[in-house]
Amino acid sequence: MSLPEIAKLGHVALVTTDLEKSLWFFKEIVGLEETETVNGTVYMRAWGDFEHHTLSLTAGEESRIDHIAWRTKRPEDVEAFAQLLQEAGTEVKWVEAGEEAGQGRAIRFKLPSGHSFELYYDVEKPLASPEKRSVLKNQTYKSWARGVSPRRIDHVNLLTSLKANEISDFLEEKLGFKMREYIEAPDGSYLGTWLSVTPLVHDIAISHDPFSPSTHQIHHLSYWLDNAQDLLRAADILTEHGIEFKGPGKHGISQAMYIYAIDPGSGVRVELFTNGYLIFEPDWEPIKWTLDEMNIGFTFWGDQMDNKPENNPTIPA
Amino acid sequence: MSLPEIAKLGHVALVTTDLEKSLWFFKEIVGLEETETVNGTVYMRAWGDFEHHTLSLTAGEESRIDHIAWRTKRPEDVEAFAQLLQEAGTEVKWVEAGEEAGQGRAIRFKLPSGHSFELYYDVEKPLASPEKRSVLKNQTYKSWARGVSPRRIDHVNLLTSLKANEISDFLEEKLGFKMREYIEAPDGSYLGTWLSVTPLVHDIAISHDPFSPSTHQIHHLSYWLDNAQDLLRAADILTEHGIEFKGPGKHGISQAMYIYAIDPGSGVRVELFTNGYLIFEPDWEPIKWTLDEMNIGFTFWGDQMDNKPENNPTIPA
Amino acid sequence: MSLPEIAKLGHVALVTTDLEKSLWFFKEIVGLEETETVNGTVYMRAWGDFEHHTLSLTAGEESRIDHIAWRTKRPEDVEAFAQLLQEAGTEVKWVEAGEEAGQGRAIRFKLPSGHSFELYYDVEKPLASPEKRSVLKNQTYKSWARGVSPRRIDHVNLLTSLKANEISDFLEEKLGFKMREYIEAPDGSYLGTWLSVTPLVHDIAISHDPFSPSTHQIHHLSYWLDNAQDLLRAADILTEHGIEFKGPGKHGISQAMYIYAIDPGSGVRVELFTNGYLIFEPDWEPIKWTLDEMNIGFTFWGDQMDNKPENNPTIPA
Amino acid sequence: MSLPEIAKLGHVALVTTDLEKSLWFFKEIVGLEETETVNGTVYMRAWGDFEHHTLSLTAGEESRIDHIAWRTKRPEDVEAFAQLLQEAGTEVKWVEAGEEAGQGRAIRFKLPSGHSFELYYDVEKPLASPEKRSVLKNQTYKSWARGVSPRRIDHVNLLTSLKANEISDFLEEKLGFKMREYIEAPDGSYLGTWLSVTPLVHDIAISHDPFSPSTHQIHHLSYWLDNAQDLLRAADILTEHGIEFKGPGKHGISQAMYIYAIDPGSGVRVELFTNGYLIFEPDWEPIKWTLDEMNIGFTFWGDQMDNKPENNPTIPA
C-alpha cells in the first residue's frame, strides 16, 4: 500500500466570542458566501471555493480555532493516516459523517504543539443558489458580489512558542508536507518554516515567537485574491469600515503580497494574499534564510507587522 | 514499482527561419533572458524560471517546434516511461546527456498525432549572472528588466486536424495527464481538451481544427504573468513595436486572461497568460462544455481570435 | 466684462422606457448612488461626484437624453451666456431654480444639431448619508459599495449625421470649448472631434456617422474609474449579469481604456473609462488624425465596436 | 488687462554632487529620457511629457534645487508677472532665451522663504528620435522603455521651517494658486497646504517642519504613473536595485497613492504618484484637516514616512 497523502487545505473552524460581528466581517467586508447554518454553526466559502465550506463560525466563550481541516488524496487515506498516527503514539478521535455539515467521516488529532488538525476525504460540493451562481461552469459564485471578494482559501500560519522545526518535523514526517523555505537561527533551530503538499509555496507556515502566549496559537488564516490591485481595493474597503490592518506589502519569502486584517469579532488575523510563485520542481531545495536577511525575507517592501508581541494579539488554535 | 510520473512542462525547442528576428522578439519584446548559446542554439528562460532553459531557438529552413519537453518526478521515471512506451508500441529514441545544453539523458517519442515529446529528469539550474540576479534567494533574475517580462513558462497548446481526444487519450493513458475541461461535439468526440499533471488547469491543451494543415501543429506556447494589469502593459509594448496580436481577453475555460502574439521570426504564437484558477481537488470532475456554450467558454469577454484558419497560420510541431 | 466660461460637465438627464431596469443597471451594476427622488425623477451620482447629481432617470415613452448640463465658472456666466446665445440667434429657455432638484436657475438651448444643452451655476453638494459617507473629508461616499463603482462622471459623446465640425464649431465659438484631437476626412470635413474646457482630453466628443438616425443622437455618456484593472473587474461583473458590452480596449485618440456597456432599460451606451492623458499646455496644437490612421487612432488595441450602424443602436439626445 | 496666470508646472532644475549616480537613477531606474546635454546640464523628461525637459541635472558642490519653473498661460504673462512682482517688492532677474536649453526668455525670483522660482512661456517641444517615438501622435515616446517609466511630471512639495501659510499666502496672492486642502494647527497657522492652478489637487504643496534645516528645502518632486499597479511594479524595481524608499501607501489628502524614493546621487526625494482626484468645481471649498485627523489624512493606509527629521534628510531649494 502506498503512503496516505494530503491533497489540500480544506477549512478552518473558528469559534468567536462575537458571532454577529465576525459574520459582518467575513460576509460584508471580506465577502464570503454562506453555504448553510446548522446547529448554530455558519458554514462559509469564497466565490471560487468548490467544497461545502472553507470557514465555519461558531459562537463560544473564547475565540479560538477549533480545528484546521485537510482533505486527503484518496478515500482510504483517512483510515490509513489514523492507523499511522496511532502507531506513532498520536491520539486520534473519529468525527462521524454529518457531524460537520457537508462532510463525511473524519479524524481529529493534535500536533505536538497542541494545534488541532482534522483529516477527511468525503465532502459535498454544493452549487450556489441560481441567482448567485456564476455563468461559468468552472466557477461556483459570481465574483465581486460584496466587499474584498477573495477567490479561495489559501493557507494557514501557526504561531508557537516552540521552535518552528518542532512542528514542521511532524508535518514532514507524519503528514508528508514538503519544506519549501525556512529561517534558521544561529543555533540551527528553525524560527519559521513554510511547507506544502501542493505547488503553492505554503499550505501551512509555522512562526516561532518566544513570547507567544502558548505553543498552539494561530498567526493567521489566508484567502487568495487574483491580482495585486485587488489588495489595494481591499485596503480602501478595510479603512472605510474601520477594520484594523497591516500592509499592503510584499514578502520576500513566498514573493507574495499581503494585507493582514483583524476580524473585530474573534480577533483572528486574516491575510489577504496574492501573487507569489509556484513550485513544480520535484527536487526543490528548501530556501534557507538567516536572520540578517530578514530585511528582505519578511518584508521585501511595504507596510509590515509590528514586531512587538503585545501589538500582535493572537488567538489559540 | 509505482508508475512513472511527469512533474511539469520543461521547455519548448523552437526552430525558426529568422533567428535574428525571433531573438529580438523573445529577448527585447517578451523579455526572456539568455542562459547560454551552444552550437548555434540559444537557450532562454523567464526571470522566474529555475531550469536551464524553457525555450530554445535554433535557425532552420522551416519554422517548427522540434520537441516539447517534460520533466519527470523521479530520476528513474525516464527509463520507466521508455519501457512502458516501447511496450505499447511507441518508438523511443534516447538523447544523451549534454546533447541538449544543461540537460541529462532524455527520451524522445512521437504522439499518435506526430507531435514530438521529450522526457528528462536531470537538468541544471544555473544562477543568473551577479548583475542580473535577484536579491531574493527564491527568484532567479531581477524582474522587469526588459519588455513584457513574464515570470515563467506556463503551458503548450497543440493544434491538430485529429479529434482532440485522439491525442488526449494518449496523454491520459500513457503519460498520466488528468482531464480538467473539454469541449464535446454532438457526435461525442472532443473538439478541445485541457489537461494537466499539476494543479494548473492545463499544462497542455489540444485544439481540434478540421482545417489544420496537419495532425501535428502548435497552436501556441505560453508564458505566465502575475497580474492582469501586466497584460495591459504588454499590449502597449506589443503595439508600439508592431507585433501582431489578439487580446486582451478572458477565457471562460480556465478563467484566465490572454494575449496571443506572433513571433515575427518564426510565426509561432505566444500566449501571454495570467489569472485563472487552480485545481487542488483529488476527485475533480472534468468540466464539459458544448459548442453552444462557446460564447462564454472560449471568450468570456474581450478581443478574440479570428475563427478563419487562413487568418491563423500555425507552424508544425 | 470677460467672456463667460464653462467650468465642467455637470450631468446627463436620461429618459428611459424601462425605469426599473435602468435603475437596476445604474444602481446595482454600475454602482451609482441615489441622492433623492423628486416627482418621479431619480437623481444619482458616483461615489466621487460632489454635485447633487451627475445622472437623472425619468420614465418616458421614448428613451432619450433630455439634456446635457454644464456648470459655468461664475454665477453671472449663466446670464451672460443667455445673452450671447440669443444675440447669435439661438433660442434660450430659462429653467427656474428647483425645477431640477438641487439646482439653481439655468438655461436650456439647442445646438445646431438639435442636441439639448443646459447651463447652470448654482447647485447643491449634499453630503452622503452617515452610513455611506467616506471617512475622507474630500470624498463623498465610501468607494466600492456595489458593482463597477466608478469615481465620477467623465464626458459625453454626441452622435450625428452632420459633419462633426458643424457641431464643434459651435462649441468652440459660442461656448469656449478647445479642440484637442480630430479626424479629418479627405474633403477637409471633420468626422470626429474631441473638445474640452478642462485639461481632460475631452469633456465632449462629436462622432459623425452618415447612417445616424438623426442629427442629434448620443453615442455614449461616460464614467471614470481610477485604474485599468478596475475595467477588467467591470468586464467580469457585466458578463456575469448578462449586460451587453464591447471592450476592454484602448483608444489611440485620448490614450484611454474603455468598455462600452448598454443600459438594458433605455438602450443608452455607457462608457467605463480610465487612464488617458491630460492637457496642461496653453498652446496645445489639436492632434489631426486621418482615416488611414484609424487602425491605431480608434483602437490602439483590444475589443472594438462593430462599425455597422445596425449593430450600434443609439438613442436621441 | 487681465491678470497674468500660471498654466502648469514646467520643470525642476536639480544640482547633484554625484551626477553619474543621479543619471543612473533618473535614467535607468526611474526611466526618464534624455532630450539633450548642453554645457554639462542633462535635460530629461518622461515619456508623456511634451516640453523640452521636466528635469535638468547639473553637477555641483552641493546637492540642491536650483529653481522650480512654471509655464505661464500667455506669452505676455511673463512680463506682466515680472512687473507685478517687482511692484510688490520682489526682486526679479531675467534669464535670456537659450540660457536654459529649449526655453525662451524667463524670469527668476525667490519666494519669501527663499525658494527659487522661474516663469517662462516659450519652450520647445521636440519630437522623440524616430526609434523611441511612440506610434501615437499624441504621445512623445514609447512607454515602458526602461525602469519605473512614469508618464509625466506631476508636482513639487516644498519643505520649510516657516509655517506653510507664509509661503502659500504668497502663492495665492501673487501667483494665483488656489488652496485645495490644508492642515490647520490649533493656533490657526497652517502646517501643510496643497495648492494648484490646474484641476490637480496640487501642483505644489508646502510642508512645515520645525526641524527643517532651513526655510527653503524641497520635500520631494513627483512624477505621475497611470495605475496603482505601476507603483507596485516600481517597488519591485527599486528594491532590486537597492534604492531606499517608503511606501507604497495612500494619502487621505489628495487620495493619491505614493512611493517616496531617494536619488542616491543627490539625495533628493522623488515621489512616484498615481490615482487621486481632480477638482473641476469653480467654487471649491478648501478641505481643512486638523492634527487629530492625520491618521487618515497623511496615510490613509500603507507604509509611511518616518516622522523623525533625522531620518528624512532633505536638500535645499
Side-chain angles (χ1 to χ4, degrees):
Chain A
M1 193 195 77
S2 61
L3 286 173
E5 289 178 79
I6 291 175
K8 52 165 294 202
L9 175 61
H11 61 262
V12 175
L14 174 65
V15 177
T16 172
T17 52
D18 191 336
L19 180 59
E20 194 181 355
K21 201 174 276 183
S22 287
L23 283 174
W24 169 78
F25 174 71
F26 282 107
K27 280 185 172 179
E28 302 304 322
I29 304 305
V30 178
L32 300 187
E33 301 284 353
E34 179 180 331
T35 315
E36 60 177 331
T37 298
V38 181
N39 297 331
T41 295
V42 184
Y43 295 92
M44 314 181 81
R45 53 182 175 171
W47 57 262
D49 282 325
F50 297 106
E51 297 191 19
H52 180 273
H53 58 282
T54 53
L55 183 71
S56 69
L57 267 67
T58 311
E61 294 194 0
E62 182 202 31
S63 288
R64 61 185 177 82
I65 301 300
D66 183 74
H67 62 270
I68 295 163
W70 305 84
R71 192 170 187 213
T72 62
K73 266 209 177 156
R74 291 162 293 254
E76 62 270 26
D77 285 348
V78 180
E79 174 72 44
F81 268 122
Q83 202 173 321
L84 288 174
L85 286 162
Q86 281 170 323
E87 285 168 7
T90 300
E91 192 179 349
V92 169
K93 194 188 128 214
W94 282 92
V95 180
E96 291 311 309
E99 218 169 290
E100 206 169 326
Q103 184 180 293
R105 212 171 171 235
I107 59 169
R108 293 214 189 134
F109 60 94
K110 286 192 188 300
L111 303 193
S113 52
H115 290 95
S116 180
F117 268 29
E118 179 178 82
L119 297 181
Y120 68 96
Y121 178 81
D122 290 314
V123 67
E124 293 172 20
K125 295 176 191 164
L127 290 178
S129 60
E131 78 282 5
K132 292 191 164 190
R133 197 176 300 164
S134 173
V135 300
L136 288 170
K137 300 171 95 166
N138 53 15
Q139 184 175 314
T140 310
Y141 297 88
K142 293 180 200 303
S143 53
W144 305 119
R146 281 183 323 283
V148 172
S149 205
R151 174 187 278 276
R152 59 170 173 80
I153 197 168
D154 192 86
H155 67 266
V156 289
N157 186 313
L158 308 184
L159 182 72
T160 182
S161 52
L162 301 176
K163 291 305 175 73
N165 46 292
E166 296 184 58
I167 298 181
S168 51
D169 284 354
F170 184 90
L171 296 177
E172 287 183 85
E173 291 159 18
K174 299 293 185 294
L175 300 174
F177 282 86
K178 283 166 277 184
M179 183 73 76
R180 303 311 200 168
E181 307 203 33
Y182 63 99
I183 305 169
E184 193 176 291
D187 67 1
S189 66
Y190 289 3
L191 306 177
T193 52
W194 285 258
L195 306 99
S196 65
V197 290
T198 69
L200 299 179
V201 174
H202 65 317
D203 300 311
I204 188 168
I206 316 296
S207 297
H208 164 66
D209 185 337
F211 302 100
S212 171
S214 84
T215 57
H216 52 92
Q217 303 290 116
I218 188 156
H219 189 277
H220 61 262
L221 61 99
S222 175
Y223 277 85
W224 169 268
L225 293 102
D226 283 351
N227 287 289
Q229 171 78 26
D230 304 338
L231 267 196
L232 308 180
R233 181 177 166 274
D236 279 350
I237 293 171
L238 295 171
T239 308
E240 283 285 7
H241 292 89
I243 304 296
E244 184 191 342
F245 69 96
K246 291 290 179 180
K250 179 175 173 172
H251 293 304
I253 295 170
S254 84
Q255 300 176 28
M257 271 193 70
Y258 61 83
I259 277 179
Y260 292 112
I262 303 292
D263 164 24
S266 68
V268 78
R269 190 178 292 109
V270 177
E271 186 181 29
L272 302 167
F273 192 75
T274 189
N275 290 1
Y277 73 108
L278 297 173
I279 299 174
F280 297 119
E281 307 302 327
D283 56 350
W284 182 254
E285 281 293 322
I287 308 281
K288 171 180 159 179
W289 298 83
T290 53
L291 282 176
D292 59 312
E293 296 167 328
M294 281 307 96
N295 59 325
I296 62 166
F298 263 134
T299 307
F300 191 55
W301 47 254
D303 184 44
Q304 55 190 299
M305 281 186 54
D306 197 325
N307 280 327
K308 294 179 204 137
E310 65 269 29
N311 293 339
N312 286 306
T314 60
I315 64 172
Chain B
M1 193 195 77
S2 60
L3 285 173
E5 289 178 78
I6 291 175
K8 52 165 294 200
L9 174 61
H11 62 262
V12 174
L14 174 64
V15 178
T16 172
T17 53
D18 191 335
L19 181 59
E20 195 181 355
K21 201 174 277 182
S22 288
L23 282 174
W24 169 78
F25 174 71
F26 281 108
K27 280 185 172 177
E28 303 304 323
I29 304 305
V30 178
L32 300 187
E33 302 284 352
E34 180 180 332
T35 314
E36 60 176 332
T37 298
V38 181
N39 297 332
T41 294
V42 185
Y43 295 91
M44 315 181 81
R45 54 183 175 169
W47 58 261
D49 283 325
F50 297 106
E51 297 191 18
H52 180 272
H53 60 282
T54 53
L55 183 71
S56 69
L57 267 68
T58 310
E61 293 195 359
E62 181 202 32
S63 289
R64 62 185 176 83
I65 301 300
D66 183 74
H67 63 270
I68 296 163
W70 305 85
R71 192 168 187 214
T72 62
K73 267 210 177 153
R74 291 163 292 254
E76 61 271 24
D77 285 348
V78 179
E79 175 71 44
F81 269 122
Q83 203 173 320
L84 288 173
L85 286 163
Q86 282 170 323
E87 284 169 8
T90 300
E91 191 180 348
V92 168
K93 195 188 129 216
W94 281 92
V95 179
E96 292 311 310
E99 217 168 289
E100 206 171 324
Q103 185 179 292
R105 214 170 170 234
I107 59 170
R108 293 214 189 134
F109 60 94
K110 287 193 187 301
L111 303 193
S113 52
H115 290 95
S116 179
F117 268 27
E118 179 178 83
L119 298 181
Y120 67 95
Y121 178 82
D122 290 314
V123 67
E124 292 171 21
K125 295 176 190 163
L127 289 178
S129 60
E131 78 282 4
K132 292 191 164 191
R133 196 176 301 163
S134 173
V135 299
L136 288 170
K137 300 171 95 167
N138 53 14
Q139 183 175 315
T140 311
Y141 297 87
K142 293 181 202 301
S143 54
W144 305 119
R146 281 183 323 282
V148 170
S149 205
R151 174 188 279 276
R152 59 168 173 79
I153 197 168
D154 192 86
H155 66 266
V156 290
N157 186 314
L158 308 183
L159 183 73
T160 183
S161 53
L162 302 176
K163 290 305 175 72
N165 45 293
E166 297 184 56
I167 297 181
S168 51
D169 284 355
F170 184 91
L171 296 177
E172 288 183 85
E173 293 160 16
K174 300 294 185 292
L175 300 174
F177 282 86
K178 283 166 276 184
M179 183 73 76
R180 303 310 201 168
E181 306 203 34
Y182 63 99
I183 306 168
E184 192 176 290
D187 68 2
S189 66
Y190 289 3
L191 305 177
T193 52
W194 285 258
L195 305 99
S196 64
V197 289
T198 70
L200 299 179
V201 175
H202 64 317
D203 301 310
I204 188 167
I206 316 296
S207 297
H208 165 66
D209 185 337
F211 300 101
S212 171
S214 84
T215 57
H216 52 92
Q217 304 288 118
I218 189 157
H219 189 277
H220 62 262
L221 61 99
S222 174
Y223 277 86
W224 169 268
L225 292 102
D226 283 351
N227 287 290
Q229 171 78 25
D230 304 338
L231 267 195
L232 307 179
R233 182 177 164 276
D236 280 348
I237 293 171
L238 296 170
T239 308
E240 282 285 7
H241 291 90
I243 305 296
E244 184 191 343
F245 70 97
K246 290 290 178 180
K250 178 174 174 173
H251 293 303
I253 296 171
S254 83
Q255 300 176 28
M257 272 194 70
Y258 60 84
I259 278 179
Y260 292 113
I262 303 293
D263 163 25
S266 69
V268 78
R269 190 179 290 108
V270 176
E271 186 180 29
L272 303 167
F273 191 76
T274 189
N275 290 2
Y277 73 107
L278 296 172
I279 299 175
F280 297 117
E281 308 302 327
D283 56 348
W284 182 254
E285 281 293 321
I287 308 280
K288 170 181 161 178
W289 298 82
T290 52
L291 282 175
D292 59 312
E293 296 167 329
M294 281 307 96
N295 59 325
I296 62 164
F298 264 135
T299 307
F300 191 56
W301 46 255
D303 185 44
Q304 56 190 297
M305 281 186 56
D306 196 326
N307 280 328
K308 294 180 204 135
E310 65 269 29
N311 293 339
N312 285 307
T314 60
I315 65 173
Chain C
M1 194 194 78
S2 60
L3 286 172
E5 290 178 78
I6 291 176
K8 53 165 293 201
L9 174 61
H11 61 262
V12 174
L14 174 64
V15 178
T16 173
T17 53
D18 190 336
L19 180 59
E20 195 182 354
K21 200 174 277 182
S22 289
L23 282 174
W24 169 78
F25 174 71
F26 282 108
K27 280 185 170 177
E28 304 302 323
I29 304 305
V30 177
L32 300 187
E33 302 284 352
E34 179 180 331
T35 314
E36 60 175 331
T37 298
V38 181
N39 297 331
T41 294
V42 184
Y43 295 91
M44 313 181 82
R45 54 182 175 170
W47 58 261
D49 282 325
F50 297 105
E51 296 191 19
H52 181 272
H53 59 281
T54 54
L55 183 71
S56 69
L57 267 68
T58 311
E61 294 195 357
E62 182 202 32
S63 289
R64 61 184 176 83
I65 301 300
D66 183 74
H67 62 270
I68 296 164
W70 305 84
R71 192 168 187 215
T72 62
K73 266 210 178 155
R74 291 162 293 253
E76 61 271 25
D77 285 348
V78 179
E79 175 71 44
F81 269 122
Q83 202 174 320
L84 288 174
L85 286 162
Q86 281 169 323
E87 283 169 9
T90 300
E91 190 179 348
V92 168
K93 194 188 129 216
W94 281 92
V95 180
E96 291 311 310
E99 218 170 289
E100 207 171 324
Q103 184 180 292
R105 214 172 169 230
I107 60 170
R108 294 214 187 133
F109 60 94
K110 288 193 186 300
L111 303 193
S113 52
H115 290 95
S116 179
F117 268 29
E118 179 178 82
L119 297 180
Y120 67 95
Y121 178 82
D122 291 315
V123 66
E124 293 171 21
K125 296 176 190 163
L127 289 177
S129 61
E131 78 282 4
K132 292 192 164 190
R133 196 176 300 163
S134 173
V135 299
L136 288 170
K137 301 171 96 167
N138 53 14
Q139 183 174 315
T140 311
Y141 297 89
K142 294 180 201 302
S143 53
W144 305 120
R146 281 183 324 282
V148 171
S149 204
R151 173 186 279 275
R152 59 169 173 79
I153 196 168
D154 192 87
H155 67 266
V156 290
N157 186 314
L158 308 184
L159 182 72
T160 183
S161 54
L162 300 177
K163 290 306 175 73
N165 46 292
E166 296 183 58
I167 297 180
S168 51
D169 284 355
F170 184 91
L171 296 176
E172 287 182 85
E173 291 159 18
K174 299 294 185 291
L175 300 174
F177 283 86
K178 283 166 277 186
M179 183 73 76
R180 303 310 200 169
E181 307 203 32
Y182 63 98
I183 306 168
E184 192 176 291
D187 68 0
S189 67
Y190 290 4
L191 305 176
T193 52
W194 286 257
L195 306 99
S196 64
V197 289
T198 70
L200 300 179
V201 174
H202 65 317
D203 301 310
I204 187 167
I206 315 296
S207 297
H208 164 68
D209 184 338
F211 301 101
S212 171
S214 84
T215 56
H216 51 92
Q217 304 289 118
I218 188 156
H219 189 276
H220 62 261
L221 61 98
S222 174
Y223 276 85
W224 169 267
L225 291 102
D226 283 351
N227 287 289
Q229 171 78 26
D230 305 338
L231 267 195
L232 308 180
R233 182 177 165 275
D236 279 349
I237 293 171
L238 296 170
T239 308
E240 283 285 7
H241 292 90
I243 304 296
E244 185 192 342
F245 70 96
K246 290 290 179 180
K250 179 174 172 173
H251 293 304
I253 295 170
S254 83
Q255 300 176 26
M257 272 195 69
Y258 60 83
I259 279 179
Y260 292 112
I262 303 293
D263 164 24
S266 70
V268 77
R269 189 179 292 109
V270 177
E271 186 180 30
L272 303 167
F273 191 75
T274 189
N275 290 1
Y277 73 108
L278 297 173
I279 299 173
F280 297 117
E281 308 302 327
D283 56 349
W284 182 253
E285 281 293 322
I287 307 282
K288 171 181 160 178
W289 299 83
T290 53
L291 282 176
D292 59 312
E293 295 167 329
M294 281 307 96
N295 58 326
I296 62 165
F298 264 135
T299 308
F300 190 56
W301 47 254
D303 185 45
Q304 56 190 298
M305 281 185 56
D306 196 325
N307 280 327
K308 294 179 204 136
E310 65 269 29
N311 293 339
N312 286 306
T314 61
I315 64 172
Chain D
M1 193 195 77
S2 61
L3 285 172
E5 289 178 79
I6 291 175
K8 52 165 294 201
L9 175 61
H11 61 262
V12 174
L14 174 64
V15 177
T16 173
T17 52
D18 191 335
L19 181 59
E20 194 182 355
K21 201 173 277 181
S22 288
L23 283 173
W24 170 78
F25 174 71
F26 282 107
K27 280 185 171 177
E28 302 304 323
I29 304 304
V30 178
L32 300 187
E33 303 282 353
E34 180 180 332
T35 314
E36 61 176 332
T37 298
V38 181
N39 296 332
T41 295
V42 184
Y43 294 92
M44 314 181 82
R45 55 182 174 170
W47 58 261
D49 282 325
F50 297 105
E51 296 191 19
H52 180 274
H53 59 282
T54 54
L55 183 72
S56 70
L57 267 67
T58 310
E61 294 195 358
E62 182 202 31
S63 288
R64 63 186 175 81
I65 301 300
D66 184 73
H67 62 270
I68 296 163
W70 305 85
R71 191 169 188 214
T72 63
K73 266 209 178 155
R74 291 161 293 255
E76 61 271 25
D77 285 349
V78 180
E79 175 71 43
F81 268 122
Q83 201 173 322
L84 287 173
L85 287 162
Q86 281 170 323
E87 284 169 9
T90 300
E91 190 180 350
V92 169
K93 195 188 129 216
W94 282 92
V95 179
E96 291 311 310
E99 217 169 290
E100 207 170 324
Q103 184 179 293
R105 213 171 170 233
I107 59 169
R108 293 213 189 133
F109 60 94
K110 288 194 187 299
L111 303 194
S113 52
H115 290 94
S116 179
F117 268 29
E118 179 179 83
L119 298 181
Y120 67 95
Y121 178 82
D122 290 314
V123 66
E124 293 171 21
K125 295 176 190 163
L127 289 178
S129 60
E131 77 283 4
K132 292 191 164 190
R133 197 176 300 164
S134 173
V135 299
L136 288 170
K137 300 171 96 167
N138 52 15
Q139 184 174 313
T140 310
Y141 297 88
K142 293 179 202 304
S143 54
W144 305 118
R146 281 183 323 284
V148 172
S149 205
R151 173 187 280 275
R152 58 168 173 79
I153 197 168
D154 192 86
H155 67 266
V156 289
N157 186 314
L158 308 183
L159 182 73
T160 183
S161 53
L162 301 177
K163 290 304 176 74
N165 46 292
E166 297 184 58
I167 297 180
S168 52
D169 283 354
F170 184 90
L171 296 176
E172 287 183 86
E173 291 159 18
K174 299 294 185 292
L175 300 174
F177 282 86
K178 282 166 276 183
M179 183 72 76
R180 303 311 199 167
E181 306 203 34
Y182 63 98
I183 306 168
E184 193 177 291
D187 68 0
S189 67
Y190 289 4
L191 306 176
T193 51
W194 285 257
L195 306 99
S196 65
V197 289
T198 69
L200 300 178
V201 174
H202 65 316
D203 301 310
I204 188 167
I206 315 296
S207 297
H208 165 67
D209 185 338
F211 300 101
S212 172
S214 85
T215 57
H216 52 92
Q217 305 288 118
I218 188 156
H219 189 277
H220 62 262
L221 62 98
S222 174
Y223 277 85
W224 169 267
L225 292 102
D226 283 352
N227 287 289
Q229 171 79 25
D230 304 338
L231 267 195
L232 308 180
R233 182 177 166 274
D236 279 349
I237 293 170
L238 296 171
T239 308
E240 282 285 8
H241 291 89
I243 305 295
E244 184 192 343
F245 70 97
K246 290 290 178 180
K250 179 173 174 173
H251 293 303
I253 295 170
S254 84
Q255 301 176 26
M257 271 194 69
Y258 60 83
I259 278 179
Y260 291 112
I262 302 292
D263 164 24
S266 69
V268 78
R269 190 178 291 109
V270 177
E271 186 181 29
L272 303 167
F273 191 76
T274 189
N275 290 4
Y277 72 108
L278 297 173
I279 299 174
F280 297 117
E281 308 302 327
D283 56 350
W284 182 253
E285 281 294 322
I287 307 282
K288 170 182 160 178
W289 299 83
T290 53
L291 282 176
D292 59 313
E293 295 167 330
M294 280 308 95
N295 59 326
I296 62 165
F298 264 136
T299 307
F300 190 55
W301 46 254
D303 184 45
Q304 55 191 299
M305 281 186 56
D306 197 325
N307 280 327
K308 295 179 203 134
E310 66 269 30
N311 293 339
N312 287 305
T314 60
I315 64 172

